[in-house]
Coordinates of all heavy atoms in Angstrom, one line a residue:
M1 N 63.4 -67.1 -220.7 CA 63.3 -66.5 -219.4 C 63.6 -67.7 -218.4 O 62.9 -68.7 -218.3 CB 61.9 -66.0 -219.2 CG 61.6 -65.4 -217.9 SD 60.0 -64.7 -217.7 CE 60.0 -63.4 -218.9
E2 N 64.7 -67.5 -217.7 CA 65.2 -68.5 -216.6 C 64.3 -68.3 -215.4 O 64.2 -67.2 -214.9 CB 66.6 -68.3 -216.3 CG 67.6 -68.5 -217.5 CD 67.9 -70.0 -217.8 OE1 67.8 -70.7 -216.8 OE2 68.2 -70.3 -218.9
S3 N 63.7 -69.4 -214.9 CA 62.8 -69.2 -213.8 C 63.6 -68.8 -212.5 O 63.1 -68.0 -211.7 CB 62.1 -70.6 -213.5 OG 63.1 -71.6 -213.2
A4 N 64.9 -69.2 -212.4 CA 65.7 -68.8 -211.2 C 66.0 -67.3 -211.2 O 66.3 -66.8 -210.2 CB 66.9 -69.6 -211.1
Q5 N 65.9 -66.7 -212.4 CA 66.2 -65.3 -212.5 C 65.0 -64.4 -212.7 O 65.1 -63.2 -213.0 CB 67.2 -65.1 -213.7 CG 68.5 -65.9 -213.5 CD 69.4 -65.8 -214.8 OE1 68.9 -65.5 -215.9 NE2 70.6 -66.2 -214.6
L6 N 63.8 -65.1 -212.7 CA 62.6 -64.3 -212.9 C 62.3 -63.3 -211.8 O 62.2 -63.7 -210.7 CB 61.4 -65.3 -213.1 CG 60.1 -64.7 -213.3 CD1 60.0 -63.9 -214.6 CD2 59.0 -65.7 -213.2
S7 N 62.2 -62.0 -212.2 CA 61.8 -61.1 -211.3 C 60.3 -60.7 -211.5 O 59.8 -61.1 -212.6 CB 62.6 -59.8 -211.4 OG 62.2 -59.1 -212.6
F8 N 59.7 -60.1 -210.6 CA 58.3 -59.8 -210.8 C 58.1 -58.8 -211.9 O 57.2 -58.8 -212.7 CB 57.7 -59.2 -209.5 CG 56.4 -59.7 -209.2 CD1 56.2 -60.8 -208.3 CD2 55.2 -59.2 -209.8 CE1 54.9 -61.3 -208.1 CE2 54.0 -59.7 -209.5 CZ 53.8 -60.8 -208.7
V9 N 59.1 -57.8 -212.0 CA 59.1 -56.9 -213.1 C 59.1 -57.6 -214.5 O 58.3 -57.3 -215.4 CB 60.2 -55.9 -213.0 CG1 60.4 -55.1 -214.3 CG2 60.1 -55.0 -211.8
E10 N 60.0 -58.6 -214.6 CA 60.1 -59.3 -215.8 C 58.8 -60.1 -216.1 O 58.3 -60.1 -217.3 CB 61.3 -60.3 -215.8 CG 62.6 -59.6 -215.8 CD 63.7 -60.6 -215.4 OE1 63.5 -61.5 -214.7 OE2 64.8 -60.4 -216.0
F11 N 58.2 -60.7 -215.1 CA 57.0 -61.5 -215.3 C 55.9 -60.6 -215.7 O 55.1 -60.9 -216.7 CB 56.6 -62.2 -214.0 CG 55.4 -63.0 -214.2 CD1 55.3 -64.1 -215.0 CD2 54.2 -62.7 -213.5 CE1 54.2 -64.9 -215.2 CE2 53.1 -63.4 -213.6 CZ 53.0 -64.5 -214.5
Q12 N 55.7 -59.4 -215.1 CA 54.6 -58.5 -215.5 C 54.8 -58.0 -216.9 O 53.9 -58.0 -217.7 CB 54.5 -57.3 -214.5 CG 53.3 -56.5 -214.8 CD 53.0 -55.6 -213.6 OE1 53.7 -55.4 -212.6 NE2 51.8 -54.9 -213.7
R13 N 56.1 -57.8 -217.3 CA 56.3 -57.3 -218.7 C 56.1 -58.4 -219.6 O 55.5 -58.2 -220.7 CB 57.8 -56.9 -218.8 CG 58.1 -56.2 -220.1 CD 59.6 -55.7 -220.1 NE 59.9 -54.8 -219.0 CZ 61.0 -54.9 -218.2 NH1 61.8 -55.9 -218.4 NH2 61.2 -54.1 -217.2
F14 N 56.4 -59.7 -219.3 CA 56.2 -60.8 -220.2 C 54.6 -61.0 -220.4 O 54.2 -61.2 -221.5 CB 56.7 -62.1 -219.5 CG 56.2 -63.4 -220.2 CD1 56.8 -63.8 -221.4 CD2 55.2 -64.1 -219.6 CE1 56.3 -65.0 -222.0 CE2 54.7 -65.3 -220.1 CZ 55.3 -65.7 -221.3
I15 N 53.9 -60.9 -219.3 CA 52.4 -61.0 -219.4 C 51.9 -59.9 -220.4 O 51.0 -60.2 -221.2 CB 51.7 -61.0 -218.0 CG1 52.1 -62.2 -217.2 CG2 50.2 -60.8 -218.2 CD1 51.5 -63.5 -217.7
A16 N 52.4 -58.7 -220.2 CA 51.9 -57.6 -221.0 C 52.2 -57.8 -222.5 O 51.4 -57.6 -223.4 CB 52.5 -56.3 -220.6
E17 N 53.5 -58.3 -222.8 CA 53.9 -58.5 -224.1 C 53.2 -59.7 -224.8 O 52.8 -59.6 -225.9 CB 55.4 -58.7 -224.2 CG 56.1 -57.3 -223.9 CD 57.6 -57.5 -223.7 OE1 58.1 -58.7 -223.8 OE2 58.3 -56.5 -223.5
R18 N 53.0 -60.7 -224.0 CA 52.4 -62.0 -224.6 C 50.9 -61.9 -224.7 O 50.3 -62.3 -225.7 CB 52.8 -63.1 -223.7 CG 52.1 -64.5 -224.0 CD 52.6 -65.1 -225.3 NE 53.9 -65.6 -225.2 CZ 54.3 -66.8 -224.8 NH1 53.4 -67.7 -224.4 NH2 55.5 -67.2 -224.8
Y19 N 50.2 -61.2 -223.7 CA 48.8 -61.3 -223.7 C 48.1 -59.9 -223.7 O 46.8 -59.9 -223.8 CB 48.3 -62.0 -222.4 CG 48.9 -63.4 -222.3 CD1 49.8 -63.7 -221.3 CD2 48.4 -64.5 -223.1 CE1 50.3 -65.0 -221.1 CE2 48.9 -65.7 -222.9 CZ 49.9 -66.0 -222.0 OH 50.4 -67.3 -221.8
G20 N 48.9 -58.9 -223.7 CA 48.3 -57.5 -223.6 C 47.2 -57.2 -224.6 O 46.1 -56.6 -224.3
E21 N 47.5 -57.5 -225.8 CA 46.5 -57.1 -226.9 C 45.2 -57.8 -226.7 O 44.1 -57.2 -226.8 CB 47.2 -57.4 -228.3 CG 46.3 -56.9 -229.4 CD 47.0 -57.1 -230.8 OE1 48.2 -57.3 -230.8 OE2 46.2 -57.1 -231.8
K22 N 45.3 -59.1 -226.5 CA 44.1 -59.9 -226.4 C 43.3 -59.6 -225.1 O 42.1 -59.5 -225.1 CB 44.5 -61.4 -226.3 CG 43.3 -62.4 -226.4 CD 43.8 -63.8 -226.5 CE 42.7 -64.8 -226.7 NZ 43.1 -66.2 -226.8
D23 N 44.1 -59.2 -224.0 CA 43.5 -58.8 -222.8 C 42.7 -57.5 -223.0 O 41.6 -57.4 -222.5 CB 44.5 -58.6 -221.7 CG 45.1 -59.9 -221.2 OD1 44.5 -61.0 -221.4 OD2 46.3 -59.9 -220.8
G24 N 43.3 -56.6 -223.7 CA 42.6 -55.3 -224.0 C 41.3 -55.5 -224.7 O 40.3 -54.8 -224.5
Q25 N 41.3 -56.4 -225.6 CA 40.0 -56.7 -226.4 C 39.0 -57.3 -225.5 O 37.8 -57.0 -225.7 CB 40.3 -57.6 -227.5 CG 41.2 -57.0 -228.6 CD 41.8 -58.0 -229.6 OE1 41.6 -59.2 -229.5 NE2 42.5 -57.5 -230.6
R26 N 39.4 -58.1 -224.5 CA 38.4 -58.8 -223.7 C 37.8 -57.8 -222.6 O 36.6 -57.9 -222.3 CB 39.1 -60.0 -222.9 CG 38.2 -60.8 -222.1 CD 38.9 -61.8 -221.2 NE 40.0 -62.5 -221.9 CZ 41.3 -62.2 -221.8 NH1 41.7 -61.3 -220.9 NH2 42.2 -62.9 -222.4
G27 N 38.6 -56.9 -222.1 CA 38.2 -56.0 -221.1 C 38.3 -56.4 -219.7 O 38.5 -57.6 -219.4
V28 N 38.2 -55.5 -218.8 CA 38.5 -55.8 -217.4 C 37.4 -56.7 -216.8 O 37.7 -57.6 -216.1 CB 38.6 -54.5 -216.6 CG1 38.6 -54.7 -215.1 CG2 39.9 -53.7 -217.0
A29 N 36.2 -56.4 -217.1 CA 35.1 -57.1 -216.4 C 35.2 -58.6 -216.8 O 35.1 -59.5 -215.9 CB 33.7 -56.6 -216.8
Q30 N 35.3 -58.9 -218.1 CA 35.5 -60.3 -218.5 C 36.8 -61.0 -218.0 O 36.7 -62.2 -217.6 CB 35.4 -60.4 -220.0 CG 35.1 -61.8 -220.6 CD 33.7 -62.3 -220.2 OE1 32.8 -61.5 -220.0 NE2 33.6 -63.6 -220.0
T31 N 37.8 -60.2 -217.9 CA 39.1 -60.7 -217.4 C 39.0 -61.1 -215.9 O 39.5 -62.0 -215.5 CB 40.2 -59.7 -217.7 OG1 40.3 -59.5 -219.1 CG2 41.5 -60.2 -217.1
F32 N 38.2 -60.2 -215.2 CA 38.0 -60.5 -213.8 C 37.3 -61.8 -213.6 O 37.6 -62.5 -212.7 CB 37.3 -59.3 -213.1 CG 37.2 -59.4 -211.6 CD1 38.3 -59.1 -210.8 CD2 36.1 -59.9 -211.0 CE1 38.3 -59.3 -209.5 CE2 36.0 -60.1 -209.6 CZ 37.1 -59.7 -208.8
L33 N 36.3 -62.1 -214.5 CA 35.6 -63.4 -214.4 C 36.6 -64.6 -214.5 O 36.5 -65.6 -213.9 CB 34.5 -63.5 -215.4 CG 33.3 -62.6 -215.1 CD1 32.3 -62.7 -216.2 CD2 32.7 -62.9 -213.7
W34 N 37.5 -64.4 -215.5 CA 38.5 -65.4 -215.7 C 39.4 -65.6 -214.5 O 39.7 -66.7 -214.0 CB 39.5 -65.1 -216.9 CG 38.9 -65.5 -218.2 CD1 38.3 -64.7 -219.2 CD2 38.9 -66.9 -218.8 NE1 37.9 -65.4 -220.2 CE2 38.3 -66.8 -220.0 CE3 39.3 -68.1 -218.3 CZ2 38.1 -67.9 -220.8 CZ3 39.1 -69.2 -219.1 CH2 38.5 -69.1 -220.3
F35 N 39.8 -64.5 -213.9 CA 40.6 -64.5 -212.7 C 39.9 -65.2 -211.6 O 40.4 -66.1 -210.9 CB 40.9 -63.0 -212.3 CG 41.5 -62.9 -210.9 CD1 42.8 -63.4 -210.6 CD2 40.8 -62.3 -209.9 CE1 43.3 -63.3 -209.3 CE2 41.3 -62.2 -208.6 CZ 42.5 -62.6 -208.3
M36 N 38.6 -64.9 -211.4 CA 37.8 -65.6 -210.3 C 37.6 -67.1 -210.6 O 37.6 -67.9 -209.7 CB 36.5 -64.9 -210.1 CG 36.6 -63.5 -209.6 SD 37.5 -63.4 -208.0 CE 36.4 -64.4 -207.0
E37 N 37.5 -67.4 -211.9 CA 37.4 -68.8 -212.2 C 38.7 -69.5 -211.8 O 38.7 -70.7 -211.2 CB 37.2 -69.0 -213.7 CG 37.0 -70.5 -214.1 CD 36.6 -70.6 -215.5 OE1 35.7 -69.9 -216.0 OE2 37.2 -71.5 -216.2
E38 N 39.9 -68.9 -212.0 CA 41.1 -69.5 -211.6 C 41.3 -69.5 -210.0 O 41.8 -70.5 -209.5 CB 42.3 -68.7 -212.2 CG 42.4 -68.8 -213.7 CD 42.7 -70.3 -214.1 OE1 43.0 -71.1 -213.3 OE2 42.5 -70.5 -215.4
V39 N 40.7 -68.5 -209.3 CA 40.7 -68.6 -207.9 C 39.9 -69.8 -207.4 O 40.3 -70.5 -206.5 CB 40.2 -67.3 -207.3 CG1 39.9 -67.4 -205.8 CG2 41.1 -66.1 -207.6
G40 N 38.8 -70.0 -208.1 CA 38.0 -71.2 -207.7 C 38.7 -72.5 -208.0 O 38.6 -73.4 -207.2
E41 N 39.5 -72.5 -209.1 CA 40.3 -73.7 -209.3 C 41.4 -73.9 -208.3 O 41.7 -75.1 -207.9 CB 40.9 -73.6 -210.7 CG 39.9 -73.8 -211.8 CD 40.5 -73.7 -213.2 OE1 41.8 -73.7 -213.4 OE2 39.8 -73.6 -214.2
L42 N 41.9 -72.8 -207.8 CA 42.9 -72.9 -206.7 C 42.3 -73.4 -205.4 O 42.8 -74.3 -204.7 CB 43.6 -71.6 -206.5 CG 44.6 -71.5 -205.3 CD1 45.8 -72.5 -205.5 CD2 45.2 -70.1 -205.2
A43 N 41.1 -72.9 -205.2 CA 40.4 -73.3 -204.0 C 40.1 -74.9 -204.0 O 40.3 -75.5 -203.0 CB 39.0 -72.6 -203.8
S44 N 39.7 -75.3 -205.2 CA 39.4 -76.7 -205.3 C 40.7 -77.6 -205.2 O 40.7 -78.6 -204.5 CB 38.8 -77.0 -206.7 OG 38.6 -78.4 -206.9
A45 N 41.8 -77.0 -205.8 CA 43.1 -77.7 -205.7 C 43.6 -77.8 -204.2 O 44.1 -78.8 -203.8 CB 44.1 -77.1 -206.6
L46 N 43.4 -76.7 -203.5 CA 43.8 -76.7 -202.1 C 43.1 -77.7 -201.3 O 43.6 -78.4 -200.4 CB 43.7 -75.3 -201.5 CG 44.7 -74.2 -202.0 CD1 44.2 -72.9 -201.6 CD2 46.0 -74.5 -201.3
Q47 N 41.8 -77.8 -201.6 CA 40.9 -78.7 -200.9 C 41.3 -80.2 -201.2 O 41.3 -81.0 -200.3 CB 39.5 -78.5 -201.2 CG 38.5 -79.1 -200.3 CD 37.1 -78.5 -200.5 OE1 36.7 -78.3 -201.7 NE2 36.3 -78.4 -199.5
K48 N 41.7 -80.5 -202.4 CA 42.0 -81.8 -202.8 C 43.5 -82.2 -202.6 O 43.8 -83.4 -202.6 CB 41.7 -82.0 -204.3 CG 40.2 -81.9 -204.6 CD 40.0 -82.0 -206.1 CE 38.5 -81.8 -206.5 NZ 38.4 -81.6 -207.9
S49 N 44.4 -81.2 -202.4 CA 45.8 -81.5 -202.3 C 46.0 -82.4 -201.1 O 45.4 -82.2 -200.0 CB 46.6 -80.3 -202.3 OG 46.4 -79.6 -201.1
G50 N 46.9 -83.3 -201.2 CA 47.2 -84.2 -200.1 C 46.4 -85.6 -200.2 O 46.9 -86.6 -199.7
T51 N 45.3 -85.5 -200.9 CA 44.5 -86.8 -201.1 C 44.4 -87.1 -202.6 O 44.1 -88.3 -202.9 CB 43.1 -86.6 -200.5 OG1 42.4 -85.5 -201.1 CG2 43.2 -86.4 -199.0
D52 N 44.5 -86.2 -203.5 CA 44.4 -86.4 -204.9 C 45.7 -86.0 -205.6 O 46.0 -84.9 -205.7 CB 43.2 -85.6 -205.4 CG 42.9 -85.9 -206.9 OD1 43.8 -86.5 -207.6 OD2 41.9 -85.4 -207.4
N53 N 46.4 -87.0 -206.1 CA 47.7 -86.8 -206.6 C 47.6 -86.2 -208.0 O 48.6 -85.7 -208.6 CB 48.5 -88.1 -206.7 CG 49.0 -88.6 -205.4 OD1 49.1 -87.8 -204.5 ND2 49.2 -89.9 -205.3
S54 N 46.5 -86.1 -208.6 CA 46.3 -85.5 -210.0 C 46.2 -84.0 -209.9 O 46.2 -83.3 -210.9 CB 45.1 -86.1 -210.7 OG 43.9 -85.7 -210.1
V55 N 46.1 -83.5 -208.7 CA 45.9 -82.0 -208.5 C 47.2 -81.3 -208.9 O 48.2 -81.6 -208.4 CB 45.4 -81.7 -207.1 CG1 45.5 -80.2 -206.8 CG2 44.1 -82.2 -206.8
D56 N 47.0 -80.3 -209.7 CA 48.2 -79.4 -210.1 C 48.1 -78.1 -209.2 O 47.8 -77.0 -209.7 CB 48.1 -79.1 -211.6 CG 49.3 -78.2 -212.0 OD1 50.3 -78.1 -211.3 OD2 49.2 -77.7 -213.2
L57 N 48.5 -78.3 -208.0 CA 48.5 -77.1 -207.1 C 49.4 -76.0 -207.5 O 49.0 -74.8 -207.5 CB 48.8 -77.6 -205.6 CG 48.6 -76.6 -204.5 CD1 47.2 -76.1 -204.4 CD2 49.1 -77.2 -203.2
E58 N 50.6 -76.4 -207.9 CA 51.6 -75.4 -208.4 C 51.0 -74.6 -209.6 O 51.1 -73.4 -209.7 CB 52.8 -76.1 -208.7 CG 53.9 -75.2 -209.3 CD 55.1 -76.0 -209.7 OE1 55.2 -76.4 -210.9 OE2 56.1 -76.1 -208.9
G59 N 50.4 -75.3 -210.5 CA 49.9 -74.7 -211.7 C 48.7 -73.8 -211.4 O 48.6 -72.7 -212.0
E60 N 47.9 -74.1 -210.4 CA 46.8 -73.3 -210.0 C 47.3 -72.0 -209.4 O 46.7 -70.9 -209.6 CB 45.8 -74.0 -209.1 CG 45.2 -75.2 -209.8 CD 44.5 -74.9 -211.1 OE1 44.2 -73.8 -211.5 OE2 44.1 -75.9 -211.9
F61 N 48.3 -72.1 -208.5 CA 48.9 -70.8 -208.0 C 49.4 -70.0 -209.1 O 49.2 -68.7 -209.1 CB 50.1 -71.2 -207.0 CG 49.7 -71.4 -205.6 CD1 49.4 -72.7 -205.1 CD2 49.5 -70.3 -204.8 CE1 49.1 -72.8 -203.8 CE2 49.1 -70.4 -203.4 CZ 48.9 -71.7 -203.0
A62 N 50.1 -70.6 -210.1 CA 50.6 -69.8 -211.2 C 49.5 -69.1 -212.0 O 49.6 -68.0 -212.5 CB 51.4 -70.7 -212.1
D63 N 48.4 -69.9 -212.2 CA 47.2 -69.3 -213.0 C 46.7 -68.1 -212.3 O 46.4 -67.1 -212.9 CB 46.1 -70.4 -213.1 CG 46.4 -71.4 -214.1 OD1 47.3 -71.2 -215.0 OD2 45.7 -72.5 -214.1
V64 N 46.5 -68.2 -211.0 CA 45.9 -67.0 -210.2 C 46.9 -65.8 -210.3 O 46.4 -64.7 -210.6 CB 45.7 -67.4 -208.7 CG1 45.3 -66.2 -207.9 CG2 44.5 -68.4 -208.7
L65 N 48.1 -66.1 -210.1 CA 49.1 -65.0 -210.2 C 49.2 -64.4 -211.6 O 49.2 -63.2 -211.8 CB 50.5 -65.5 -209.8 CG 51.5 -64.4 -209.5 CD1 51.1 -63.4 -208.5 CD2 52.9 -65.0 -209.1
G66 N 49.1 -65.3 -212.6 CA 49.1 -64.8 -214.0 C 47.9 -63.9 -214.3 O 48.1 -62.8 -214.9
W67 N 46.7 -64.3 -213.9 CA 45.5 -63.5 -214.2 C 45.5 -62.3 -213.3 O 45.0 -61.2 -213.8 CB 44.3 -64.4 -214.0 CG 44.1 -65.3 -215.2 CD1 44.3 -66.6 -215.3 CD2 43.5 -64.9 -216.5 NE1 44.1 -67.1 -216.6 CE2 43.5 -66.1 -217.3 CE3 43.0 -63.7 -217.0 CZ2 43.0 -66.0 -218.6 CZ3 42.6 -63.7 -218.3 CH2 42.6 -64.9 -219.1
L68 N 46.0 -62.3 -212.1 CA 46.0 -61.1 -211.3 C 47.0 -60.1 -212.0 O 46.7 -58.9 -212.0 CB 46.5 -61.5 -209.9 CG 46.6 -60.3 -208.9 CD1 45.2 -59.7 -208.6 CD2 47.3 -60.7 -207.6
T69 N 48.1 -60.6 -212.5 CA 49.1 -59.8 -213.2 C 48.5 -59.1 -214.4 O 48.7 -58.0 -214.7 CB 50.3 -60.5 -213.5 OG1 50.9 -61.1 -212.3 CG2 51.4 -59.7 -214.2
T70 N 47.7 -59.9 -215.2 CA 47.0 -59.4 -216.3 C 46.1 -58.2 -215.9 O 46.0 -57.2 -216.5 CB 46.2 -60.5 -217.0 OG1 47.0 -61.4 -217.7 CG2 45.1 -59.9 -218.0
L71 N 45.3 -58.4 -214.8 CA 44.4 -57.3 -214.4 C 45.2 -56.1 -214.0 O 44.8 -54.9 -214.3 CB 43.6 -57.8 -213.2 CG 42.4 -58.7 -213.5 CD1 41.8 -59.4 -212.3 CD2 41.3 -57.9 -214.3
A72 N 46.3 -56.3 -213.3 CA 47.2 -55.2 -212.9 C 47.7 -54.4 -214.2 O 47.6 -53.2 -214.2 CB 48.4 -55.6 -212.1
N73 N 48.1 -55.1 -215.2 CA 48.5 -54.5 -216.4 C 47.4 -53.7 -217.1 O 47.6 -52.6 -217.6 CB 49.0 -55.6 -217.5 CG 50.4 -56.1 -217.1 OD1 51.1 -55.4 -216.4 ND2 50.7 -57.3 -217.7
M74 N 46.2 -54.3 -217.1 CA 45.1 -53.6 -217.7 C 44.7 -52.3 -217.0 O 44.2 -51.3 -217.6 CB 43.8 -54.5 -217.7 CG 44.1 -55.7 -218.6 SD 42.7 -56.9 -218.6 CE 41.6 -56.0 -219.7
K75 N 45.0 -52.2 -215.7 CA 44.7 -51.0 -214.9 C 45.9 -50.1 -214.7 O 45.9 -49.2 -213.9 CB 44.1 -51.4 -213.6 CG 42.7 -52.1 -213.7 CD 41.7 -51.3 -214.5 CE 41.3 -50.0 -213.8 NZ 40.2 -49.3 -214.6
G76 N 47.1 -50.5 -215.3 CA 48.3 -49.7 -215.2 C 48.9 -49.7 -213.8 O 49.6 -48.8 -213.4
I77 N 48.7 -50.8 -213.1 CA 49.3 -51.0 -211.8 C 50.7 -51.7 -211.9 O 50.8 -52.8 -212.5 CB 48.4 -51.9 -210.9 CG1 47.0 -51.3 -210.7 CG2 49.1 -52.2 -209.6 CD1 47.0 -50.0 -210.0
D78 N 51.7 -51.0 -211.4 CA 53.1 -51.6 -211.3 C 53.1 -52.5 -210.0 O 53.1 -51.9 -208.9 CB 54.1 -50.5 -211.3 CG 55.5 -51.0 -210.8 OD1 55.8 -52.2 -210.8 OD2 56.3 -50.1 -210.4
L79 N 53.0 -53.8 -210.2 CA 52.9 -54.6 -209.0 C 54.1 -54.6 -208.1 O 54.0 -54.7 -206.9 CB 52.6 -56.1 -209.5 CG 51.1 -56.4 -209.9 CD1 51.0 -57.8 -210.5 CD2 50.2 -56.2 -208.8
T80 N 55.3 -54.5 -208.7 CA 56.5 -54.4 -207.9 C 56.4 -53.2 -207.0 O 56.7 -53.3 -205.8 CB 57.8 -54.4 -208.8 OG1 57.8 -55.6 -209.6 CG2 59.0 -54.3 -208.0
G81 N 56.1 -52.1 -207.6 CA 56.0 -50.8 -206.8 C 54.9 -50.9 -205.8 O 55.1 -50.5 -204.6
A82 N 53.8 -51.5 -206.1 CA 52.7 -51.7 -205.2 C 53.0 -52.6 -204.0 O 52.7 -52.2 -202.9 CB 51.5 -52.3 -206.0
L83 N 53.7 -53.7 -204.3 CA 54.2 -54.6 -203.2 C 55.2 -53.9 -202.3 O 55.1 -54.0 -201.1 CB 54.8 -55.8 -203.8 CG 53.7 -56.8 -204.5 CD1 54.5 -57.9 -205.3 CD2 52.8 -57.4 -203.5
Q84 N 56.1 -53.2 -202.9 CA 57.1 -52.4 -202.1 C 56.4 -51.5 -201.2 O 56.7 -51.4 -200.0 CB 58.1 -51.8 -203.0 CG 59.1 -52.7 -203.6 CD 60.0 -52.1 -204.6 OE1 59.7 -51.1 -205.2 NE2 61.1 -52.7 -204.9
R85 N 55.5 -50.6 -201.7 CA 54.8 -49.6 -201.0 C 53.9 -50.2 -199.9 O 53.8 -49.7 -198.8 CB 54.0 -48.7 -201.9 CG 54.9 -47.7 -202.6 CD 54.1 -46.7 -203.5 NE 53.5 -47.3 -204.6 CZ 54.1 -47.6 -205.8 NH1 55.4 -47.2 -205.9 NH2 53.5 -48.1 -206.8
K86 N 53.2 -51.3 -200.2 CA 52.2 -51.9 -199.3 C 52.9 -52.7 -198.2 O 52.4 -52.7 -197.1 CB 51.3 -52.8 -200.1 CG 50.1 -53.3 -199.3 CD 49.1 -52.3 -199.0 CE 47.9 -52.8 -198.2 NZ 46.9 -51.8 -198.0
Y87 N 53.9 -53.5 -198.6 CA 54.5 -54.5 -197.6 C 55.9 -54.3 -197.1 O 56.3 -54.9 -196.2 CB 54.4 -55.9 -198.3 CG 52.9 -56.4 -198.4 CD1 52.2 -56.2 -199.6 CD2 52.3 -56.9 -197.3 CE1 50.9 -56.6 -199.7 CE2 51.0 -57.4 -197.4 CZ 50.3 -57.2 -198.6 OH 49.0 -57.6 -198.7
L88 N 56.7 -53.5 -197.9 CA 58.1 -53.5 -197.5 C 58.5 -52.1 -196.9 O 59.3 -52.0 -196.1 CB 58.9 -53.7 -198.8 CG 58.7 -55.1 -199.4 CD1 59.5 -55.3 -200.6 CD2 59.1 -56.2 -198.4
Q89 N 57.9 -51.0 -197.4 CA 58.3 -49.7 -196.9 C 57.5 -49.3 -195.6 O 56.4 -49.7 -195.4 CB 58.0 -48.6 -198.0 CG 58.9 -48.8 -199.2 CD 58.6 -47.8 -200.3 OE1 57.6 -47.0 -200.2 NE2 59.4 -47.8 -201.4
D90 N 58.1 -48.5 -194.8 CA 57.4 -47.8 -193.7 C 56.7 -48.7 -192.8 O 55.5 -48.5 -192.5 CB 56.5 -46.8 -194.3 CG 57.2 -45.7 -195.1 OD1 58.4 -45.4 -194.8 OD2 56.6 -45.2 -196.1
G91 N 57.4 -49.8 -192.4 CA 56.7 -50.7 -191.4 C 56.0 -51.8 -192.0 O 55.4 -52.7 -191.4
G92 N 56.0 -51.9 -193.4 CA 55.5 -53.1 -194.0 C 54.0 -53.3 -193.9 O 53.3 -52.4 -194.1
R93 N 53.6 -54.5 -193.6 CA 52.3 -55.0 -193.8 C 51.2 -54.2 -193.0 O 50.1 -54.1 -193.4 CB 52.2 -56.5 -193.4 CG 51.0 -57.2 -194.0 CD 51.1 -58.7 -193.9 NE 50.0 -59.3 -194.5 CZ 50.0 -60.5 -194.9 NH1 51.0 -61.3 -194.7 NH2 48.9 -61.0 -195.6
N94 N 51.6 -53.7 -191.9 CA 50.7 -52.9 -191.1 C 50.5 -51.4 -191.5 O 49.7 -50.7 -191.0 CB 51.1 -53.0 -189.6 CG 51.0 -54.4 -189.1 OD1 50.1 -55.1 -189.4 ND2 51.9 -54.8 -188.2
H95 N 51.4 -51.1 -192.4 CA 51.3 -49.7 -192.9 C 50.0 -49.5 -193.7 O 49.7 -50.2 -194.6 CB 52.5 -49.4 -193.8 CG 52.5 -48.1 -194.4 ND1 52.5 -46.9 -193.7 CD2 52.3 -47.7 -195.7 CE1 52.5 -45.8 -194.5 NE2 52.3 -46.3 -195.8
K96 N 49.3 -48.4 -193.3 CA 48.0 -48.1 -194.1 C 48.3 -47.0 -195.1 O 48.7 -45.9 -194.7 CB 47.0 -47.6 -193.1 CG 46.7 -48.6 -192.0 CD 45.8 -49.7 -192.5 CE 45.3 -50.7 -191.4 NZ 45.8 -52.0 -191.5
A97 N 48.3 -47.4 -196.4 CA 48.5 -46.4 -197.4 C 47.3 -45.6 -197.7 O 46.2 -46.1 -197.5 CB 49.0 -47.1 -198.7
Ligands
LIG1 MG1 43.7 -73.0 -213.4

């Protein structure tokens, strides 16, 4: 998977294929805790970035997006469609669906 060619559809499919079975065994509630732990790591990285060169800010953004995508897969949410409907169609971000 070439990063320059990665689409959100491809990423969501990759997460489902790579982690779907294990995610299903863990369940939504436990997966949400993992997601929140990653959000906490991102918060910490944001706070330290600029002063601590060991912080992997990019990696923490990727972790949060990865776990959010996992949760979407578990609930049958097509993130590409959701983003298009919520932010791109019919006036974009201010549109109330
Ligand atoms: Mg992390």
